[in-house]
Amino acid sequence: MAGGKETPRQKMIGMMYLVLTAMLALNVSKEIINAFVTQDNQMLVNNNNLVEGINGFMTKFSNLELDINSKKSFLKWKPKVMEVNKLANELDDYLLGNLNKMMEESEQKADWFAKASETQYTTWQPIESITKKEDYDIATRLFGGEKSSEGYKKGGEIREKLLELRDSLLLTMGNYSQRKNQFMLKPEWLQDNKILEQELTKVEHPDKLKLVSIYNTLSQPETLENHDQQQAWQLVKFDHQPIVGAIGVFTEMRNQVRMAQQKALELVASKVEEPIMKINKIEPQLIAKKSYLNQGESMDVQVGIIAYDSTATYPIKYKIGGREVSSMNNNFTLKASSVGQQSVNGSLVLDLADGPREFPWSFDYTVGKPMGTIASPEYNVLYAGYDNIIEASISGYSSTDVKVECAGCSSFVKKGSQYIAKVNGGTKTVEIKAIAKGSVTVRKYNVYGKPKPELSFVGKEFGAAPLALIKQGKKLVIRSPKSSPLKIQYQIVSYDLEVMVNNKNLGTKMSSANLSSKGRGMLNNLKRGSKIYISNVKYKELGSSKVKPIHGIILKAI
């Protein structure tokens, strides 16, 4: 386009085309990165959806264990359920830990992705806020790279972990006895899916399809095709992968773990005999915390199901207005005869295999107009020694017409449109009341002490940690438990660091959370099998001068 025989005008046009082509290439790259961000968010949502399904299985299993019809059958399978969950959760923790390590190198921020230990739900910082979305070096260095590199070995380790989970799940779920029949699955059958399917067919294993499905879900070939050539698994997955692409790789693997876990639990559910009760009808049910909204409010709504036997009658007993009532029909009418807080409670009688059983229920409701509301937007209780935020209003009245007071609070101060409630230690309950021209709304709160903070070093609270990870440790971290809703910041005042190397005890004292140069030097001398001891830890809440002790940490380098 810019040859010597072209006119100056033709040369200029040619240069403009080159510039335009470059600009289009940049825009395409940006669109690809944005596509990764969208995909990452959706895959993370899918992960929580899979976890929600798994939690649904656990709720079902809890009910099966309680019911006499299915208890005996379920208890036989319960150890397998616990083992499956243990194996899957441990590998998910491992994958999440490596993902957070990559994010910390990219964004210098720990725990970009966090997981609740009880529910296993994952929360995350906005993907779109990542500053190094296009960085191709970090994932390559940590999990790919040259064959002799640590990253290449780490990537291979991740693949091996997935295969180990696959084999463990299959051996756990494939070997059992039922009705005097012994079903088996041998380790040597796990070489590939064809051998597995052939052997399961030979022994007429009743769960062949489910077991092969688990196998295929977690299988990771040693090499994958990339640009018409076979390359190592870790190179295809991580080499020259941008940060937002590597997030998707890890989330895909976490989703594979959860899908395999769910398939294993489905297998258990298919084995447990005897339903809790006969069900022949299922109807949708809208589930919400309240049925009244003020203008500008929002509410989370869930659509659930009601399952029941439409041919059966469900006798009920209930108390209302001090009067006890029994009925063979499970319907009754509530009449709003007086204003204020009301309640009705009773029991539903179900005829189960071991005879009739009563299931208690209760329903609280308010009669009156206008309706008042008091809510704590952060949590359901008040905490002693903490600034508890309270919102109070009565619909139909402006905030200047509403008086709010707290019986039992050490102080109760209005701040903007909210109130700050402080409670002394030793107080068990407080009562908050909103009053507007004769309309009164009252709510009682239980008072809890503030939960103790948690310590961690290199992301570990106890147990073992990789030697390389320990050597990278820079500071002792103290924070509120993940299950706590409180927004409290803490500061490490001092602690003792000791290490045992070659039967020699070395120690030093730290005057802040950060390791001193001597402390870092001690860690650099560690070997596999060495232990580190963090003790005599003192901390305080930011803004407070009161120093408190907390338990230490013992870690073993592996």
Side-chain angles (χ1 to χ4, degrees):
M1 288 187 293
K5 295 182 180 181
E6 294 178 336
T7 66
R9 184 173 182 274
Q10 288 173 322
K11 291 179 180 180
M12 180 62 70
I13 292 174
M15 291 300 296
M16 290 176 65
Y17 273 115
L18 287 175
V19 172
L20 178 60
T21 301
M23 293 178 66
L24 287 173
L26 288 174
N27 285 333
V28 169
S29 177
K30 181 178 180 181
E31 289 302 319
I32 291 173
I33 294 298
N34 289 338
F36 272 125
V37 172
T38 301
Q39 177 180 284
D40 288 345
N41 282 313
Q42 185 57 54
M43 292 176 72
L44 287 161
V45 170
N46 290 342
N47 183 267
N48 280 340
N49 289 338
L50 289 167
V51 169
E52 185 173 2
I54 290 166
N55 291 343
F57 272 114
M58 297 311 298
T59 299
K60 177 181 179 179
F61 292 154
S62 296
N63 292 332
L64 291 173
E65 187 174 2
L66 290 174
D67 189 78
I68 193 171
N69 294 310
S70 53
K71 181 176 182 179
K72 182 178 179 181
S73 179
F74 174 72
L75 288 179
K76 171 187 170 182
W77 288 89
K78 184 176 180 180
K80 292 184 181 292
V81 171
M82 305 307 292
E83 179 68 8
V84 165
N85 288 345
K86 175 178 175 291
L87 292 169
N89 291 343
E90 285 178 350
L91 182 53
D92 190 66
D93 290 342
Y94 169 83
L95 294 172
L96 192 65
N98 280 285
L99 174 56
N100 272 329
K101 180 181 178 181
M102 179 184 72
M103 294 306 301
E104 188 167 3
E105 290 214 16
S106 170
E107 305 302 303
Q108 287 74 54
K109 184 174 183 181
D111 298 329
W112 192 277
F113 298 87
K115 186 175 69 170
S117 58
E118 184 175 349
T119 65
Q120 294 293 305
Y121 286 120
T122 301
T123 56
W124 59 92
Q125 301 296 320
I127 305 297
E128 51 272 19
S129 68
I130 297 174
T131 59
K132 296 184 179 180
K133 298 185 186 73
E134 304 91 343
D135 191 304
Y136 291 84
D137 175 66
I138 296 175
T140 301
R141 176 165 46 82
L142 292 179
F143 311 112
E146 298 295 330
K147 286 189 176 181
S148 60
S149 69
E150 291 299 317
Y152 186 90
K153 295 176 184 177
K154 190 64 177 180
E157 177 184 283
I158 292 172
R159 173 179 170 271
E160 288 297 325
K161 292 280 188 182
L162 290 165
L163 298 181
E164 288 172 9
L165 175 64
R166 178 197 70 186
D167 295 351
S168 296
L169 290 181
L170 289 171
L171 293 173
T172 298
M173 302 308 304
N175 293 287
Y176 64 90
S177 60
Q178 191 172 37
R179 296 193 184 95
K180 298 182 180 180
N181 294 321
Q182 185 71 37
F183 300 105
M184 66 177 181
L185 188 156
K186 296 182 179 180
E188 54 265 31
W189 299 354
L190 303 176
Q191 299 174 44
D192 63 52
N193 62 343
K194 290 183 179 179
I195 293 176
L196 175 64
E197 188 169 0
Q198 289 172 359
E199 295 297 334
L200 292 176
T201 302
K202 287 180 184 178
V203 299
E204 298 182 350
H205 202 295
D207 305 309
K208 179 183 75 173
L209 295 179
K210 292 185 177 71
L211 294 171
V212 171
S213 179
I214 293 173
Y215 186 96
N216 291 335
T217 299
L218 287 172
S219 286
Q220 307 292 331
E222 190 171 355
T223 62
L224 295 169
E225 186 172 342
N226 187 29
H227 299 298
D228 298 325
Q229 63 177 334
Q230 291 292 319
Q231 289 186 330
W233 179 90
Q234 56 267 53
L235 297 184
V236 177
K237 293 289 185 180
F238 294 108
D239 240 36
H240 297 93
Q241 187 74 264
I243 288 294
V244 289
I247 291 173
V249 172
F250 274 108
T251 308
E252 177 191 19
M253 291 187 288
R254 294 182 66 210
N255 287 351
Q256 290 171 337
V257 170
R258 293 309 186 187
M259 283 189 282
Q261 180 185 8
Q262 193 173 71
K263 290 173 189 285
L265 297 180
E266 285 175 356
L267 196 155
V268 172
S270 70
K271 299 297 180 185
V272 178
E273 302 168 348
E274 301 296 339
I276 297 177
M277 58 179 291
K278 179 182 175 183
I279 294 174
N280 67 5
K281 193 163 186 177
I282 296 176
E283 295 180 354
Q285 168 92 18
L286 197 68
I287 303 170
K289 293 182 178 179
K290 55 185 178 180
S291 59
Y292 178 86
L293 289 174
N294 286 313
Q295 185 176 9
E297 288 185 335
S298 60
M299 177 175 65
D300 293 329
V301 179
Q302 180 182 4
V303 178
I305 61 170
I306 299 176
Y308 60 97
D309 180 5
S310 62
T311 65
T313 58
Y314 300 100
I316 59 172
K317 302 175 182 178
Y318 61 95
K319 293 180 180 180
I320 186 168
R323 184 168 57 97
E324 293 188 3
V325 182
S326 297
S327 173
M328 293 303 296
N329 191 310
N330 54 310
N331 295 319
F332 67 96
T333 302
L334 281 176
K335 185 177 181 181
S337 56
S338 59
V339 174
Q341 290 290 121
Q342 309 290 337
S343 66
V344 57
N345 59 77
S347 61
L348 174 71
V349 183
L350 292 181
D351 192 10
L352 302 177
D354 58 339
R357 190 189 304 179
E358 293 189 14
F359 293 84
W361 54 266
S362 63
F363 176 63
D364 297 325
Y365 61 101
T366 302
V367 178
K369 186 179 181 181
M371 295 292 292
T373 62
I374 297 177
S376 172
E378 292 182 325
Y379 32 75
N380 297 322
V381 297
L382 301 186
Y383 290 85
Y386 183 73
D387 289 348
N388 301 278
I389 299 176
I390 298 294
E391 293 179 347
S393 65
I394 296 182
S395 59
Y397 294 97
S398 68
S399 59
T400 57
D401 295 327
V402 179
K403 179 183 178 182
V404 186
E405 55 192 30
C406 177
C409 292
S410 58
S411 69
F412 191 75
V413 180
K414 187 172 184 179
K415 187 176 182 180
S417 61
Q418 299 174 324
Y419 296 83
I420 305 298
K422 292 188 176 181
V423 187
N424 290 329
T427 303
K428 294 184 177 180
T429 61
V430 299
E431 184 180 89
I432 298 178
K433 182 185 298 184
I435 306 168
K437 298 181 180 179
S439 295
V440 179
T441 299
V442 179
R443 178 165 293 177
K444 291 184 178 180
Y445 288 85
N446 293 324
V447 179
Y448 291 170
K450 287 185 291 188
K452 291 185 177 180
E454 295 177 346
L455 286 179
S456 65
F457 185 71
V458 296
K460 294 284 187 177
E461 298 175 9
F462 59 89
L467 176 61
L469 180 62
I470 290 178
K471 288 185 175 183
Q472 294 174 8
K474 296 179 180 179
K475 65 185 297 186
L476 182 64
V477 176
I478 183 169
R479 65 183 64 177
S480 292
K482 292 181 180 179
S483 60
S484 172
L486 304 188
K487 301 173 182 177
I488 303 176
Q489 292 183 311
Y490 301 93
Q491 177 183 346
I492 296 292
V493 176
S494 64
Y495 64 96
D496 294 336
L497 174 67
E498 296 180 72
V499 299
M500 183 68 70
V501 180
N502 298 326
N503 295 322
K504 184 177 180 181
N505 190 18
L506 304 175
T508 186
K509 191 174 187 66
M510 305 295 166
S511 58
S512 71
N514 296 320
L515 288 177
S516 64
S517 57
K518 182 178 179 180
R520 290 194 296 272
M522 289 164 55
L523 295 186
N524 285 331
N525 291 326
L526 289 177
K527 301 182 182 301
R528 296 187 188 278
S530 300
K531 290 186 177 181
I532 69 171
Y533 302 85
I534 297 173
S535 60
N536 297 325
V537 183
K538 301 293 190 301
Y539 76 100
K540 64 180 180 179
E541 294 180 14
L542 287 183
S544 171
S545 59
K546 186 176 181 180
V547 177
K548 302 177 183 179
I550 190 173
H551 63 83
I553 296 175
I554 301 176
L555 288 179
K556 181 179 180 181
I558 59 174

